[in-house]
Amino acid sequence: MRSGDQDEPADPAVLRDRFGTALQGFLAAQRVVLDRIGPDLAPVADAAERLVLRGGKRLRPAFAYWGWRAAGGADGDEIVTAEASLELLHAGALIHDDVMNASETRRGHPAAHRAFTAAHRDEAWHGDPAAFGTAAAILLGDLCLVWADAMLAASGLGPAALGRGRPTYDAMRTEVMAGQYLDVLEQASGGGSVERALRVARYKSATYTVERPLQLGAALAGDRPPLQAAFTGFGLPLGEAFQLRDDVLGVFGDPSATGKPAGDDLREGKRTVLIALADQHATAGQAALLRARLGDRGLDSGGIAALREVITATGALDEVESMIERRCADALRALTGTPMASQAEPALRRLAESATARTA
Amino acid sequence: MRSGDQDEPADPAVLRDRFGTALQGFLAAQRVVLDRIGPDLAPVADAAERLVLRGGKRLRPAFAYWGWRAAGGADGDEIVTAEASLELLHAGALIHDDVMNASETRRGHPAAHRAFTAAHRDEAWHGDPAAFGTAAAILLGDLCLVWADAMLAASGLGPAALGRGRPTYDAMRTEVMAGQYLDVLEQASGGGSVERALRVARYKSATYTVERPLQLGAALAGDRPPLQAAFTGFGLPLGEAFQLRDDVLGVFGDPSATGKPAGDDLREGKRTVLIALADQHATAGQAALLRARLGDRGLDSGGIAALREVITATGALDEVESMIERRCADALRALTGTPMASQAEPALRRLAESATARTA
């Protein structure tokens, strides 16, 4: 299972596979628990595996793993299992996010609530198929949230390490839920300034995806305040850049790469930094078009093209691209001169690139 | 804070207040965390406090506390805090349950998603008020789930105790979510046998409300296999009796005592043991009435009276009352002769009575 010698350069694909193997083992054990309660729970186990084992970049476990290594922690299956548990937390958040946004797809497949809705329809069951789909997905998300901390606790790391990681872990979970709430609130209130949109990005994504995982890894390995501070200097701007890239992909991304339909964020009326900037620079005509079409569930390819045109013509797209660039540079600068284990710095630089690449 | 001397008879109201105080302190600290993220998160903190501090019987913490005391654990603020955390888990489950059932009220006040829907309407925000209410309540429930294990971990109990409690805690959380899923599935599939309805009651309620809390308390205090077995013998039948009583109250209960509108379970089409029995014994005419009106969201007081009449006339109500009685007797018998700390047995007998009383 080990990726090799401590001094050998780590292969990101190998690390990803090890996270996948740990998740597979944990979910297989949960399937047995569910099956003991009743064989009709198999679709719940199936849905969890479909989402969690389908892949993705496993960014949060990777940042957490390199936080651990940077702080001098040795490679081992325990830390891989502990960090892989962040994918279950993320799965719970995604499943609930898709319910809240009434999203059709996730990672190129039907979102969990849509899959349960389809099952209800196929079986010609009683009641509203969509209500069943929503209920089942809420419970599946709850299970993933609960399994996340169960997997972390059962990782094999000792109680002292787990105790050191706790405050960061709890802060991270509270922040992502709070950020999600602020996101929902921002859409309801019709969106506001760039500053407000950046605050949402910070909590629902920047701390949760980069800063906190790094700090969690480092805390599990031992308390090193200077490293934790460097991780804030690296993690916050990089995390914001990650979310800004996600916002751009949500409007301009290729569906085959994002796993979401083209222009999905436009249809959902997401109040991102990109949109706040477009709104700020829009002419009266452009502003009217934004108001009229953003959040229109029936938006077709013509409507998407028109909105993309406004976002480009106002200069919002270029501005977000320079914000991403600036933040990436700030992040990388924060790494320079921070004492950490030898392999960690190149690994973190590579992760930064992967998290903000122009293709999903 | 202590309720008094170890040998003084424990006052249930004092214990309830101590759970309330622990929850109040924990939620006040979370309010500070949320406020640091943004003052617009205050409604989230408010909603959590409204539900969690409004009271209820605090049955799960009480069973867990007496599980600890029965196993020889001493009274202390740490164990009170640890067990009070079960109320946060329960709050998360209730908030999500109310979303899934589209319930209007909880504990006599608007359900969380209804309160957020009303806030959206009052502010004349953008988009669908109900969609906002659902999203906010899903996130509030997620926060409560996350806070539950954070509060347990921060209770002040040592890592060895917490480690012993883990397997029971994780089993309990998986079981309640799985039981809720089976409940949703049962309603979708149109309900079946008494046996199937009993299985739902077992997982969504019996293990979760009585058996697991007792076992959690005992595991935190130390490993005592004979006591754990006695707690299964006591907890499972009592937990089933508790759910059967809840089913009766859901149809015949006084709204001022249940905090739910009269006949709410009938309107929601809950496939309880009570309904399975009525269905089993119904004449063709009674069965037709059940089929036609059960789950009818527009059910008025006349419809409720007609369904109640069927449930009584088929003998289902009497049968459930004897099932409750039989299970209570079985539960109490399991306590007899089990060696446990002196105050625990009378406390558990009193809790059994409170959990299955004819008034909510």
Side-chain angles (χ1 to χ4, degrees):
Chain A
M1 273 282 289
R2 303 280 166 118
S3 69
D5 193 279
Q6 297 285 331
D7 296 319
E8 201 183 303
D11 180 343
V14 170
L15 186 58
R16 250 193 330 267
D17 285 350
R18 292 172 70 200
F19 292 138
T21 304
L23 288 161
Q24 199 164 23
F26 182 83
L27 288 176
Q30 298 312 308
R31 180 184 286 280
V32 173
V33 172
L34 293 178
D35 189 61
R36 216 175 290 137
I37 296 173
D40 32 6
L41 286 161
V44 174
D46 294 343
E49 287 185 354
R50 268 202 309 271
L51 178 65
V52 175
L53 303 182
R54 193 178 287 149
K57 291 179 178 177
R58 310 224 183 275
L59 276 181
R60 293 156 196 87
F63 279 117
Y65 174 85
W66 286 109
W68 162 275
R69 292 293 302 274
D75 179 55
D77 289 344
E78 295 80 3
I79 190 64
V80 167
T81 301
E83 310 300 25
S85 76
L86 298 182
E87 285 291 282
L88 287 173
L89 173 63
H90 193 50
L94 291 179
I95 291 164
H96 285 176
D97 192 53
D98 286 343
V99 170
M100 296 187 289
N101 292 327
S103 300
E104 292 288 325
T105 58
R106 171 64 65 183
R107 296 183 180 162
H109 295 258
H113 65 105
R114 299 293 302 160
F116 282 112
T117 299
H120 185 288
R121 209 170 270 132
D122 290 349
E123 301 282 349
W125 277 333
H126 298 255
D128 177 15
F132 175 80
T134 296
I138 289 176
L139 292 168
L140 177 66
D142 289 349
L143 268 176
C144 288
L145 293 181
V146 156
W147 286 342
D149 79 83
M151 185 174 179
L152 175 58
S155 61
L157 291 182
L162 292 172
R164 281 194 308 268
R166 251 299 162 175
T168 306
Y169 186 62
D170 290 339
M172 172 179 175
R173 297 188 299 167
T174 295
E175 282 162 1
V176 65
M177 302 306 172
Q180 290 276 74
Y181 176 82
L182 292 178
D183 196 18
V184 170
L185 194 62
E186 205 62 12
Q187 286 169 71
S189 65
S193 63
V194 173
E195 194 190 326
R196 285 180 62 93
L198 267 176
R199 183 182 60 141
V200 173
R202 164 170 295 208
Y203 286 106
K204 87 164 187 183
S205 188
T207 68
Y208 165 65
T209 304
V210 188
E211 186 202 21
R212 294 302 191 187
L214 283 166
Q215 294 185 329
L216 173 63
L220 292 171
D223 283 321
R224 303 190 183 220
L227 192 58
Q228 298 290 19
F231 282 163
T232 296
F234 171 74
L236 277 188
L238 179 62
E240 284 184 20
F242 165 78
Q243 184 54 47
L244 293 170
R245 171 61 62 213
D246 195 58
D247 294 347
V248 171
L249 290 171
V251 173
F252 295 95
D254 172 6
S256 73
T258 62
K260 288 270 187 186
D264 213 33
D265 279 5
L266 298 171
R267 216 172 277 113
E268 291 178 7
K270 285 250 177 95
R271 293 290 165 171
T272 61
V273 173
L274 185 65
I275 297 299
L277 282 169
D279 210 42
Q280 191 176 301
H281 301 320
T283 63
Q286 289 168 330
L289 196 138
L290 282 175
R291 252 195 317 280
R293 306 307 304 274
L294 207 61
D296 175 355
R297 290 273 164 192
L299 207 63
D300 59 10
S301 59
I304 290 170
L307 284 172
R308 282 178 177 167
E309 170 57 26
V310 169
I311 293 164
T312 311
T314 52
L317 177 59
D318 283 346
E319 207 168 330
V320 169
E321 288 292 353
S322 12
M323 289 173 79
I324 294 173
E325 221 167 285
R326 213 159 46 235
R327 280 166 174 72
C328 285
D330 287 349
L332 295 178
R333 211 171 12 251
L335 282 188
T336 312
T338 303
M340 60 176 82
S342 67
Q343 275 192 47
E345 193 180 322
L348 289 175
R349 287 182 185 275
R350 202 167 41 211
L351 272 174
E353 200 170 298
S354 161
T356 56
R358 279 172 196 258
T359 52
Chain B
M1 275 282 289
R2 303 281 166 117
S3 70
D5 193 281
Q6 298 286 332
D7 297 319
E8 201 182 303
D11 179 342
V14 170
L15 186 58
R16 249 192 332 266
D17 285 350
R18 292 172 70 200
F19 292 138
T21 304
L23 288 162
Q24 199 164 24
F26 182 84
L27 288 176
Q30 298 312 307
R31 179 184 286 279
V32 173
V33 172
L34 293 178
D35 189 61
R36 218 176 289 137
I37 297 173
D40 32 5
L41 287 161
V44 174
D46 294 342
E49 287 185 353
R50 268 202 309 272
L51 178 64
V52 174
L53 304 182
R54 194 178 286 148
K57 290 180 178 175
R58 310 223 182 276
L59 277 180
R60 293 157 196 87
F63 279 117
Y65 175 85
W66 286 109
W68 163 275
R69 292 293 302 274
D75 179 55
D77 289 344
E78 295 80 4
I79 189 64
V80 167
T81 301
E83 310 300 25
S85 76
L86 297 183
E87 285 291 281
L88 286 174
L89 173 62
H90 193 51
L94 290 180
I95 291 164
H96 286 176
D97 191 54
D98 286 342
V99 170
M100 297 186 291
N101 292 327
S103 299
E104 292 289 323
T105 58
R106 172 64 65 183
R107 295 183 182 163
H109 295 259
H113 66 105
R114 299 293 302 160
F116 282 113
T117 300
H120 185 288
R121 210 170 269 132
D122 290 348
E123 301 282 349
W125 277 333
H126 298 254
D128 177 15
F132 175 81
T134 296
I138 289 176
L139 292 168
L140 177 66
D142 289 349
L143 269 176
C144 289
L145 293 181
V146 156
W147 287 342
D149 80 81
M151 185 175 179
L152 175 58
S155 61
L157 291 182
L162 292 172
R164 281 195 307 268
R166 251 300 162 174
T168 306
Y169 186 61
D170 290 339
M172 172 178 174
R173 297 187 301 167
T174 296
E175 281 162 0
V176 66
M177 302 307 173
Q180 289 276 73
Y181 176 82
L182 292 178
D183 195 18
V184 170
L185 194 63
E186 205 62 12
Q187 285 168 72
S189 64
S193 62
V194 172
E195 194 190 325
R196 285 179 62 93
L198 266 176
R199 183 182 61 140
V200 173
R202 164 171 293 209
Y203 286 106
K204 86 163 187 183
S205 188
T207 68
Y208 165 64
T209 304
V210 188
E211 185 203 21
R212 294 302 191 188
L214 283 166
Q215 293 185 330
L216 173 63
L220 291 171
D223 284 321
R224 301 187 185 222
L227 192 56
Q228 297 290 19
F231 282 163
T232 296
F234 171 73
L236 277 188
L238 179 61
E240 285 183 19
F242 165 78
Q243 183 55 48
L244 293 171
R245 171 60 64 215
D246 195 58
D247 293 348
V248 170
L249 290 170
V251 173
F252 295 94
D254 173 5
S256 74
T258 61
K260 287 270 187 187
D264 214 33
D265 279 5
L266 298 171
R267 215 173 277 112
E268 292 177 4
K270 285 249 175 97
R271 293 290 165 171
T272 60
V273 173
L274 185 66
I275 297 299
L277 282 169
D279 210 41
Q280 190 177 301
H281 302 318
T283 63
Q286 288 168 330
L289 197 139
L290 282 175
R291 251 196 317 280
R293 306 307 304 274
L294 207 61
D296 175 354
R297 289 274 165 190
L299 206 63
D300 60 9
S301 59
I304 291 170
L307 285 171
R308 283 177 176 166
E309 170 58 25
V310 169
I311 293 164
T312 311
T314 52
L317 178 60
D318 283 347
E319 205 168 330
V320 169
E321 288 293 353
S322 12
M323 288 172 79
I324 294 173
E325 223 168 284
R326 212 157 47 235
R327 279 165 174 74
C328 285
D330 287 349
L332 295 178
R333 209 168 16 249
L335 282 189
T336 311
T338 304
M340 60 175 82
S342 67
Q343 275 191 48
E345 193 180 323
L348 289 175
R349 289 183 183 275
R350 200 168 43 210
L351 272 174
E353 200 170 297
S354 161
T356 55
R358 279 170 195 258
T359 53

